[in-house]
């Protein structure tokens, strides 16, 4: 089973994820931007458009203004998510020694990597729990939720919970960076690992990867597409718009006022 | 008719009335099949619609940013749930997850009941786009309402009000069925009124060769005379060569609101024909929110021919002459406290925000901003022409305007019963005239150019 999840399923996952994504994005691209539905105030230059994209992406600016209570949870959860993804990439590639490039010792770097990973994992867990609670507790959110909305959160919580367990009880239940890097390298190079490799003996690692793969497979067929949807939608509604020049043809207000236009003829107008 | 299984619905156009707007209603037993066919056409055409269908995460941020939900507390009036009325059908027929895991993702088979639900809820949405402003991804639920109403129109389901307006526009070129002699008469009467009240001579040229074509809202001939008078006074004051075309005495374009294909394009064609015939150099638009959106944002994509005429809004022009110090204004002529209602189409679809303030600050003594305002403005509750008069829908209009009433009250302009609520849009005016009475706000509703006209100093 472990062998299937770690050695065969990843290729299926990548195929489903990649082609599913292309299929979905292709559908979006097939439909057109028919009319100009830019949302005002209109940006006047592409720099300003970039500013809007940036503010939405980094600060969730619209949400900050429209629903502050949601913003707190959503922003924390997503920022922790970005950090966790970044941490996985660098931590595994550099074996936790990435911080030596900013001047730390190897030992300190590994400790920092562990500390940051644990913290971000816990923040993300708290954020997800908050979003999950909201779906039950806030009437308006309950009213817009379907079963799949809850299941998405359950899946994400499962991934994060297993990840956090591996972090918090690293020596008993977790796994070190080195065998994981070895595993990923083999996977990418299409080289099978021997059945005796350490990764197969770590049940929480196997479970973590199983959940992540399920997430990636449903990704293109679910609301998780909002990652791309945000850019696609803002590409439509945040565009440069240049106003036509004001000023009416052949109008000379001073001359009109000198001539007394509009004043009754008896008072010397026209 | 105004109720169907506990849902309020506007009185609908008869089959005969639908034929006047070029639609042969689809019989009931074919409605579901046809609805799916039209939905398929729409999703293949409008990306804005597809994205609303496929990337909403149901976070619920839109709920309390929608005046319709705030006023009615009906869960189907939460913007994402309103979109869900179509989304559940879209998922069922046009997505893999909906076909395979229907129940799980909330997909549903189409039925006549669903179509009736569309009719009820898409005509409670005023297409104000506050949800698009609030959405973290910018999903524009207004686009879903557009598509819903378009499909309903093709099925032969349109409110009587909208169908009448469509037919009148085609017949005489305005929404109120006012023929040319009536237009000329009314304008002569307005000239006399201006003479009596302001002591100035303001002619209203109709179909005259001119440099500027002014497109007033037809409601200004009957309901908002001071708006038309104000515009005439402004053009006379600056010595403009202007005219009103008798073939298009309508700034509105209800095509935007129920049929963005034939009806809307037809009205655009009519406008451009008039501009060409009169040989004008510029087109200036009157006070009408949805009409200005239709003109400014949709004419470029609906014209089907090169548009030679720059099209600007009256308040863009007035603000320009104020900024360049060419108008002499005396705000003391408007001494009452004034607050401004930002019409949603100006504020979120047309970027007509700052210029309104330039005009109002120069024209009145006591101007008080509403909160929230500008691009966060709340709709008057009548947006997209949902100004239905039957008792059930009228009650709903009171609920839909509740949020706005609360904001007007908070400005305090009506505290002494002599405030002014400036609403520079015909639909806002038509909605707010009765609503300020229903909510007892102590304010009088006026257009913006009304105030400017009064403030002009002629000597």
């Amino acid at each position: 089973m472990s062998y299937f999840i770690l050695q065969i399923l990843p290729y299926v996952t990548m195929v489903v994820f990649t082609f599913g994504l292309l299929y979905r994005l292709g559908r979006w691209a097939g439909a057109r931007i028919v009319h100009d539905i830019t949302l005002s105030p209109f940006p006047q230059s592409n720099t300003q458009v970039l500013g809007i994209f940036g503010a939405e992406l980094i600060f969730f600016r619209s949400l900050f203004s429209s629903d502050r209570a949601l913003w707190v949870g959503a922003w924390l959860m997503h920022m922790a998510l970005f950090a966790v993804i970044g941490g996985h990439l660098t931590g595994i590639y550099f074996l936790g020694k990435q911080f030596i490039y900013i001047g730390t010792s190897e030992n300190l770097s590994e400790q920092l990597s562990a500390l940051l990973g644990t913290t971000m994992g816990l923040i993300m867990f708290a954020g997800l729990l908050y979003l999950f609670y909201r779906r039950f507790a806030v009437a308006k959110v309950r009213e817009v939720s379907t079963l799949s909305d809850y299941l998405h959160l359950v899946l994400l919580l499962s991934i994060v919970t297993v990840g956090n367990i591996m972090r918090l009880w690293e020596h008993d239940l977790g796994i070190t960076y080195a065998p994981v890097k070895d595993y990923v390298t083999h996977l990418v190079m299409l080289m099978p690992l021997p059945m005796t490799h350490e990764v197969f003996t770590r049940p929480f690692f196997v479970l973590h990867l199983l959940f992540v793969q399920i997430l990636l497979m449903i990704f293109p067929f679910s609301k998780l597409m909002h990652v791309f949807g945000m850019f696609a939608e803002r590409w439509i509604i945040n565009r440069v718009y240049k106003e036509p020049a004001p000023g009416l043809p052949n109008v000379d207000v001073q001359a009109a006022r000198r001539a007394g236009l509009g004043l009754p003829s008896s008072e010397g107008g026209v | 008719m105004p109720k169907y299984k506990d849902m309020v619905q506007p009185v609908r156009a008869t089959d005969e009335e639908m034929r006047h707007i070029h639609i042969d209603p689809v019989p009931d037993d074919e409605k579901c099949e046809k609805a799916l066919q039209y939905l398929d056409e729409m999703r293949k055409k409008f990306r804005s619609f597809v994205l609303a269908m496929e990337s909403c995460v149901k976070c619920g941020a839109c709920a309390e940013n929608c005046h319709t939900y705030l006023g009615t507390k009906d869960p189907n009036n939460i913007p994402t749930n309103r979109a869900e009325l179509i989304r559940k059908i879209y998922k069922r027929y046009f997505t893999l997850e909906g076909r395979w895991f229907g129940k799980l993702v909330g997909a549903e088979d189409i039925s006549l009941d669903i179509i009736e639900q569309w009719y009820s809820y898409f005509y409670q949405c005023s297409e104000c786009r506050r949800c698009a402003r609030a959405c973290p991804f910018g999903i524009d639920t207004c686009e879903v309402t557009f598509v819903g109403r378009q499909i309903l129109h093709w099925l032969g389901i349109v409110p009587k009000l909208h169908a009448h307006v469509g037919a009148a526009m085609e017949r005489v070129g305005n929404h109120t069925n006012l023929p040319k002699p009536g237009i000329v008469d009314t304008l002569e009467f307005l000239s006399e009124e201006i003479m009596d009240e302001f002591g100035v001579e303001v002619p209203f040229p109709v179909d005259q060769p001119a440099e500027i074509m002014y497109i007033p809202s037809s409601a200004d001939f009957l309901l908002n005379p001071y708006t038309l008078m104000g515009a005439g006074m402004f053009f006379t004051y600056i010595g403009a060569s202007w005219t009103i075309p008798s073939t298009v005495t309508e700034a509105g374009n209800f095509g935007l609101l129920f049929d963005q294909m034939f009806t809307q394009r037809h009205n655009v064609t009519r406008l451009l024909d008039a501009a060409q015939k009169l040989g004008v150099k510029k087109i200036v638009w009157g006070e009408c929110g949805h009409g200005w959106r239709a003109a400014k944002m949709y004419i470029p994509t609906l014209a089907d021919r090169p548009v030679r005429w720059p099209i600007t809004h009256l308040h863009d022009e007035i603000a320009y002459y104020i900024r360049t110090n060419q108008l002499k204004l005396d705000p003391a002529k408007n001494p009452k406290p004034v607050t401004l209602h930002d019409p949603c189409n100006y504020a979120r679809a047309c970027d007509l925000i700052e210029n309104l303030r330039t005009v109002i600050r120069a024209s009145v003594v006591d101007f008080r901003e509403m909160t929230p305002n500008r691009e966060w403005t709340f709709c008057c509750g009548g947006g997209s022409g949902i100004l239905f008069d039957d008792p059930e829908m009228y009650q709903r209009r009171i609920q839909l305007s509740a949020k706005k009433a609360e904001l007007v009250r908070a400005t305090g302009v009506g505290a002494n019963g002599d405030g002014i609520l400036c609403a520079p849009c015909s639909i806002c005016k038509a909605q707010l005239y009765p609503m300020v009475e229903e909510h007892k706000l102590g304010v009088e509703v006026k257009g913006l150019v009304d105030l400017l006209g009064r403030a002009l100093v002629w000597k």
Side-chain angles (χ1 to χ4, degrees):
Chain A
M1 195 61 196
S2 302
Y3 192 80
F4 173 76
I5 291 169
L6 295 187
Q7 291 287 272
I8 298 166
L9 194 60
Y11 298 109
V12 180
T13 305
M14 280 330 286
V15 169
V16 174
F17 178 75
T18 311
F19 285 93
L21 204 62
L22 288 175
Y23 162 73
R24 212 57 178 239
L25 294 179
R27 268 165 65 122
W28 294 359
R32 294 182 294 130
I33 303 174
V34 182
H35 299 296
D36 189 344
I37 59 165
T38 306
L39 205 59
S40 60
F42 297 151
Q44 296 299 307
S45 66
N46 281 326
T47 317
Q48 286 181 13
V49 172
L50 218 61
I52 296 176
F53 273 64
E56 294 294 346
L57 188 68
I58 301 168
F59 303 112
F60 294 15
R61 191 184 57 176
S62 288
L63 192 61
F64 184 78
S65 311
S66 61
D67 192 335
R68 197 71 50 90
L70 168 57
W71 178 85
V72 175
W75 191 80
L76 280 177
M77 192 284 273
H78 282 87
M79 290 309 127
L81 172 66
F82 295 147
V84 164
I85 292 174
H88 274 67
L89 293 176
T90 51
I92 293 168
Y93 185 79
F94 294 106
L95 301 176
K97 298 182 178 71
Q98 63 269 32
F99 295 110
I100 58 170
Y101 297 102
I102 56 164
T104 69
S105 67
E106 281 195 6
N107 190 17
L108 183 62
S109 175
E110 279 168 8
Q111 281 177 358
L112 266 178
S113 184
L115 180 71
L116 274 173
T118 313
T119 315
M120 290 304 163
L122 289 174
I123 293 178
M124 195 179 159
F125 182 78
L128 283 168
L129 215 55
Y130 174 73
L131 295 180
F132 196 54
Y133 164 78
R134 241 179 116 256
R135 286 227 178 260
F136 287 101
V138 182
K140 65 175 185 187
V141 192
R142 201 169 50 233
E143 277 160 351
V144 301
S145 302
T146 55
L147 186 55
S148 67
D149 296 315
Y150 296 99
L151 292 181
H152 276 105
L153 283 168
V154 170
L155 182 55
L156 282 165
L157 276 167
S158 313
I159 294 171
V160 177
T161 308
V162 175
N164 283 341
I165 290 173
M166 287 160 66
R167 261 276 165 236
L168 292 169
W169 292 277
E170 196 180 340
H171 298 295
D172 309 322
L173 306 172
I175 191 165
T176 50
Y177 288 128
V180 179
K181 183 175 182 180
D182 192 35
Y183 162 65
V184 175
T185 311
H186 277 78
L187 201 63
V188 173
M189 306 299 279
L190 308 179
M191 291 189 302
L193 281 176
M195 295 286 280
T196 51
H197 195 279
E198 189 186 341
V199 288
F200 299 117
T201 64
R202 300 286 179 176
F204 279 89
F205 178 75
V206 178
L207 202 60
H208 191 62
L209 259 86
L210 174 66
F211 289 152
V212 169
Q213 292 185 75
I214 294 174
L215 186 83
L216 286 177
M217 279 192 276
I218 65 162
F219 192 107
F221 309 98
S222 71
K223 65 174 187 176
L224 296 169
M225 284 298 284
H226 71 278
V227 183
F228 300 95
M230 174 187 157
F231 292 99
E233 183 68 54
R234 296 213 167 269
W235 178 250
I236 303 175
I237 66 157
N238 297 126
R239 313 205 125 201
V240 172
Y241 185 97
K242 297 272 193 223
E243 302 285 339
L248 295 165
N250 287 327
V251 161
D252 183 341
V253 186
Q254 281 191 337
R257 293 329 309 146
R258 269 198 306 274
L261 281 186
L263 294 171
S265 327
S266 56
E267 291 181 40
V270 240
Chain B
M1 184 39 97
K3 280 222 166 179
Y4 175 92
K5 297 192 177 171
D6 283 336
M7 289 182 281
V8 288
Q9 288 185 335
V11 179
R12 62 183 74 182
T14 62
D15 289 1
E16 188 54 33
E17 286 164 337
M18 286 310 296
R19 283 185 200 102
H20 287 156
I21 51 172
H22 311 285
I23 290 291
D24 283 310
V26 175
D28 278 355
D29 58 344
E30 292 170 30
K31 274 203 174 86
C32 292
E33 183 198 332
K34 284 286 174 194
L36 287 179
Q37 182 196 322
Y38 300 148
L39 182 58
D40 197 23
E41 287 170 19
M42 287 286 131
R43 77 172 180 98
K44 285 176 180 152
K45 184 164 184 184
F46 290 94
R47 191 185 299 164
S48 50
F49 172 69
V50 173
L51 289 169
M53 292 295 106
E54 301 197 1
S55 51
C56 175
V57 298
K58 310 285 195 67
C59 71
C62 48
E64 280 166 13
N65 284 288
C66 173
H67 66 283
T68 306
Y69 174 64
L70 290 176
T72 61
K73 289 291 170 198
D74 182 336
N76 282 328
N77 273 326
I78 295 175
T80 185
N81 267 2
R82 196 185 297 116
E84 189 73 13
L85 298 175
I86 283 194
R87 202 185 281 122
K88 59 190 180 186
I89 307 303
Y90 177 95
K91 278 185 181 159
R92 165 66 186 80
Y93 296 94
F94 306 118
T95 68
L96 288 177
E97 65 269 28
R99 259 179 260 160
W100 294 347
F101 311 102
K103 279 245 161 51
L104 192 72
V105 296
E108 208 174 306
D109 286 342
I110 195 162
S111 68
L112 282 179
D113 278 358
I114 298 238
I115 294 173
E116 294 295 332
Q117 255 187 330
W118 291 356
Y119 183 54
S120 174
Y121 289 103
F122 291 133
Y123 279 99
Q124 290 181 61
C125 165
S126 55
E127 305 181 335
C128 78
R129 305 182 84 199
R130 201 168 193 278
C131 46
R133 181 67 261 187
C135 175
F137 318 126
I139 293 172
D140 197 344
T141 311
C142 174
E143 297 290 304
V144 181
T145 298
F146 281 154
V147 165
R149 290 186 181 189
Q150 183 75 57
I151 295 171
L152 289 168
H153 170 67
W154 282 338
L155 294 175
I157 308 173
V158 170
K160 206 181 244 311
L161 171 69
H162 291 66
H164 278 187
V165 160
M169 188 67 197
E170 189 172 334
R171 209 168 68 81
V172 295
N174 60 56
H175 292 172
T176 44
N177 255 324
L178 199 62
K180 184 173 177 182
I183 289 163
V184 174
D185 266 7
T186 310
L187 291 173
E188 279 172 7
F189 171 75
L190 292 181
S191 284
E192 289 164 19
E193 282 293 300
I194 293 173
M195 191 45 154
D196 288 350
E197 193 169 344
F198 303 103
V200 283
E201 270 173 9
V202 171
F204 286 89
V206 176
D207 291 341
Q208 301 295 316
E211 307 262 337
I212 302 155
M213 184 165 90
Y214 178 61
I215 306 295
S217 164
S218 64
D220 297 351
F221 288 86
L222 307 161
L223 289 168
N224 326 310
Y226 282 95
T227 302
L228 198 41
M229 284 154 69
M233 286 157 79
F234 167 69
F235 284 125
T236 306
Y237 185 95
I238 63 168
S241 144
W242 70 298
T243 193
I244 293 173
S246 66
T247 51
V248 191
T249 43
E250 183 55 72
N253 186 342
F254 265 41
L256 177 78
L257 312 177
F258 72 88
D259 175 21
Q260 296 195 349
M261 305 282 174
F262 178 82
T263 307
Q264 193 176 354
R265 191 182 301 268
H266 192 83
N267 295 347
V268 169
T269 303
R270 190 175 183 116
L271 174 88
L272 300 181
D273 287 351
Q276 190 172 38
K277 198 167 156 218
L278 291 169
V280 298
K281 296 214 176 74
K282 194 167 193 179
I283 302 173
V284 175
W285 220 259
E287 292 190 357
C288 174
H290 85 277
W292 180 228
R293 180 178 186 193
K296 181 174 183 171
M297 309 309 286
Y298 285 72
I299 286 179
T301 36
L302 285 172
D304 284 346
R305 55 174 136 159
V307 180
R308 292 193 284 115
W309 310 273
I311 307 176
T312 52
H313 195 278
L314 181 61
H315 290 301
D316 290 333
E317 299 297 344
I318 296 176
Y320 167 73
Y321 287 101
I322 290 176
R323 277 199 306 272
T324 51
N325 280 323
Q326 300 191 58
L327 304 184
K328 206 170 151 194
L329 295 162
D330 179 10
K333 293 183 180 177
N334 289 306
K336 294 176 181 174
V338 183
T339 187
L340 174 70
H341 159 63
D342 279 291
C344 40
N345 280 298
Y346 289 172
R348 276 186 289 271
C350 297
D351 207 359
L352 178 49
I353 300 172
E354 209 49 58
N355 284 344
L356 297 180
R357 284 158 175 82
T358 305
V359 177
I360 206 164
R361 288 210 179 96
S363 308
V364 310
V365 181
D366 181 4
F367 169 55
R368 301 179 199 172
E369 287 279 9
M370 213 180 277
T371 323
N373 58 357
R374 297 172 182 258
E375 71 268 27
W376 287 99
T377 182
F378 271 102
C379 171
C380 62
S384 80
I386 47 176
L387 302 161
F388 309 112
D389 282 337
D390 58 85
E392 286 88 354
M393 289 308 287
Y394 186 79
Q395 283 309 313
R396 188 101 334 187
R397 275 171 68 190
I398 298 177
Q399 294 177 324
L400 301 190
S401 60
K403 185 69 191 178
K404 190 90 253 177
E406 182 190 318
L407 305 183
V408 174
R409 202 172 280 123
T411 64
V413 293
N416 298 323
D418 68 342
I420 290 176
L421 172 56
C422 177
C425 158
S426 279
I427 286 179
C428 300
K429 286 172 195 160
Q431 161 78 348
L432 293 170
Y433 284 144
M435 291 309 138
V436 296
E437 304 297 327
E438 297 291 351
H439 296 289
K440 300 191 175 57
L441 297 177
V443 296
E444 195 186 347
V445 178
K446 283 187 187 299
L448 179 51
V449 72
D450 313 30
L451 300 171
L452 175 102
R454 195 175 290 275
L456 283 171
V457 178
W458 293 78
K459 272 194 279 195

